[in-house]
Amino acid sequence: MADEIRALSAQLAQDPQSLVFLRLGEALRRKGQLDSATRVAMNGLERHPHLADAHDLYARILTDKHDYARAFDEWDMAVRVAPNHTGALKGLAFLYFKVGDIAQAEAHLEQARKVEPDDPTIDQAFEMIRGGAHAPPAAAPSPPPAAPAPAAGALDETRVFAGLEGANEGLLLIDGAGRVLGGSLRDGSGSDVTDSVAAYLAGVSQEAARTAKLLGLGAWNGLSAEGQHGNVHLAHPTPEALLLVVGERGTPLGRLAILAQRATSLARRWLEQQ
């Protein structure tokens, strides 16, 4: 592997426009040299911004770094450039599966199977999804182990989402009574609407659970909606709490779901300490 990396690096140095960066980036990724792989992928994307394989490579690296929101963006871009790119389709299926959106995961796998009907990893992924397994589809990297919970008292009310992309802006955590536990929201003019939105959402979790039960849908995991000026995703870290994630118009709902999953993990750990 080391000899291969040296040889590919030499080739790329001789011809920076060469597509050999794809092989070099993948070799570095497989060796676990993610920072070096990132530099190779980003340099390649600067020279070939419309190359689906380059976006696919960068998405795989980001997934290894557990940066699923940005990985979603890269795989989403890959399929925009090349709608039948099976690597990107399988990658998106993996991310949708991680957030519990089985329908979207299966839809992307089905599209990939139409392109490559003889790909055995697609059938394996379908079996895993339909069997209710908790591991990701075989076509994508394995998910990371659960992050250790921070020490008691390490987080305060204003730092529920510390370290998360977007910090507190565009994220809101409330309890069943509508009390704000963390995050903040602003309207289009920049005015703070945190408390008014929290009051409006009080009881929504119970209503969603009741509606899902009446429709025979089972327990609800999340709700996504597209609006004229933005998109939203609702989740519930605990049966009593509700998490709202707000994105700009055009933000892919799948990306919001990935971000909501990460915020939910932080919120759940914070709630367990209270």
Side-chain angles (χ1 to χ4, degrees), residues 181-237:
L181 302 177
S184 64
L185 295 175
R186 297 183 182 276
D187 63 15
S189 64
S191 300
D192 190 301
V193 294
T194 303
D195 291 334
S196 58
V197 172
Y200 183 82
L201 290 176
V204 166
S205 181
Q206 291 81 0
E207 288 301 320
R210 186 178 299 113
T211 301
K213 182 177 180 181
L214 289 173
L215 293 174
L217 301 178
W220 74 284
N221 295 316
L223 299 172
S224 296
E226 293 181 300
Q228 184 176 358
H229 301 294
N231 299 337
V232 298
H233 183 88
L234 285 171
H236 57 130

Side-chain angles (χ1 to χ4, degrees), residues 18-29:
S18 171
L19 297 185
V20 75
F21 80 89
L22 295 170
R23 293 167 55 197
L24 176 58
E26 180 63 15
L28 290 167
R29 184 187 77 85

Side-chain angles (χ1 to χ4, degrees), residues 117-157:
D118 298 325
D119 185 344
T121 66
I122 297 175
D123 291 332
Q124 292 167 12
F126 268 118
E127 291 175 4
M128 193 170 295
I129 289 175
R130 292 167 179 170
H134 297 290
S142 299
L155 295 176
D156 58 36
E157 182 175 291

Side-chain angles (χ1 to χ4, degrees), residues 8 71 111:
L8 293 173
Q111 187 175 348

